[in-house]
Amino acid sequence: MKLYNTLSRTVEEFNPYGDFVKIYVCGITPYDTTHLGHAFTYTSVDILIRYLEFKGFKVRYVQNVTDIDDDILRKANEEGEDWRSLGNRWTAHFIEDMRMLNVKPPDQFPRATEMIPQIIEMVEKLIKTGLAYQAGGNVYFQIDRWDEFGKLCKLSYEDMLPIANERGNNPNDKFKNDPLDFVLWQAKSPGEPSWESPWGAGRPGWHIECSAMSTHFLGNVLDIHAGGYDLCFPHHEAEISQVEPISAQKPFVKFWTHIAMVYHDGEKMSKSLGNLIMVRELSKKFTPDAIRLYLGSHHYRDSWSYDEDDLIAYQRLADDAQQALKLSGGDGEELRIDARMEAFIEAMDNDLDTEKAVQIFASLVAEVLEGINARANVLQAQGTIRKMGAIFGLILDEVKPEKWVLDGWNEHLKRFEKAGITAHSS
Ligand SMILES: [Zn+2]
């Protein structure tokens, strides 16, 4: 199987470091609802994992929740809501949406606030190596002491700065040596939550949270680190810089997998532009399978624009697939579809070409429906629809998401209960 690697900018043969494929995916910052862009990221990762398992790989999968962050605190302030209850509410909402879409739950689902000791330990190590410095109760990573800063995104310093500024960097922070140095630990601001640390009360920087969580659960080297394309810089660049110097193992991540952005009305779907398409809203008109086939009909590396007419077409395909499994064929000649599965595997092996694979699935469904009309024996072909459907995370003729999907999310919820996170039953 071949997979594109952002680090090398090429499609490479996929081989994991060890017996398990270790996957980390940057999770949500829970302060608002799941939009189609989030759904594209997490269903693309879900298909990748399901396909790896189909190929016989064993997967260990960690996804985090960034439950302490500037955005959450700002939103909580605006709404006059406690930051914890805001985060809990939207975490529960995200879980409901993922269950509805039949997305595999991660094996570990840590929240950043559960990992403060591990984060502090990592910051201490970075200070010891001389790559981080303290100033004004904050700790910063000094980028000019790490020669390899920029190797993932391959941007010049001049190009990096405006992008970082757009994504949470404060270039005017007077305590920094360089405007691009990034925060590992930030001193408590009035009215903000804080934790005790060797540098005084404060809270972690965003980038270090993911590095601490990924290495805590998966070790110093990962096979795949995924996330939305907009996380490549500075978030993932910072993650490499935080891990490789202290782990002394390279590369920290074998395959960097970035999922493209979803557009609507000519702009990237984003809160600030107000052009979001919410998964919850779509689910009132379309079935989970229609949404998943529509999402899967786009290659994960190609950005695309939301178009309701396309989604309507995939609702028809989802309905047809259900029909093709509910109806029985006859005892005529067996419908031969061997080439379809081969073509499907060939497409998926080629950097997860789901765009092609969905078209193969659609052709197979049409053939089976024709076969049923012609009273052909379609049992084997129906089995192939199920196999492909399972890789796409489809519910098909079942009434609910798969039991193991629901059970897995419920396990996480049980652990979260003490924090006050409860999703509506599904
Ligand atoms: Zn992350």
Side-chain angles (χ1 to χ4, degrees), residues 189-348:
S189 296
E192 282 191 357
S194 64
W195 289 263
E196 282 310 315
S197 82
W199 319 285
R203 60 183 172 96
W206 168 38
H207 312 311
I208 195 82
E209 295 176 353
C210 275
S211 296
M213 288 186 268
S214 59
T215 55
H216 177 73
F217 289 105
L218 296 171
N220 285 338
V221 286
L222 317 179
D223 296 297
I224 298 173
H225 191 317
Y229 185 73
D230 53 348
L231 297 183
C232 185
F233 186 83
H235 187 53
H236 292 159
E237 194 73 58
E239 279 200 61
I240 296 177
S241 316
Q242 291 163 156
V243 176
E244 287 189 356
I246 55 177
S247 76
Q249 268 173 290
K250 277 188 202 177
F252 161 46
V253 173
K254 254 192 159 184
F255 283 80
W256 283 96
T257 301
H258 289 107
I259 290 105
M261 300 287 105
V262 180
Y263 288 71
H264 185 219
D265 293 336
E267 301 267 13
K268 186 190 127 181
M269 227 177 253
S270 79
K271 217 155 296 166
S272 47
L273 293 168
N275 61 346
L276 299 181
I277 298 290
M278 306 302 181
V279 170
R280 194 65 62 94
E281 285 305 308
L282 288 184
S283 73
K284 290 175 186 161
K285 278 172 77 179
F286 301 96
T287 62
D289 281 6
I291 298 171
R292 291 215 52 165
L293 284 165
Y294 176 50
L295 291 168
S297 72
H298 303 94
H299 190 268
Y300 75 93
R301 282 202 286 130
D302 296 335
S303 54
W304 51 281
S305 267
Y306 172 71
D307 183 338
E308 185 167 303
D309 289 342
D310 290 342
L311 182 48
I312 291 169
Y314 283 101
Q315 182 64 64
R316 278 195 296 272
L317 174 57
D319 294 342
D320 284 353
Q322 223 177 40
Q323 279 301 99
L325 294 175
K326 274 187 182 158
L327 301 173
S328 315
D331 48 11
E333 209 173 310
E334 189 179 312
L335 186 67
R336 305 296 309 179
I337 44 80
D338 301 352
R340 292 281 180 221
M341 195 66 199
E342 275 166 38
F344 181 90
I345 291 171
E346 196 185 317
M348 295 295 281

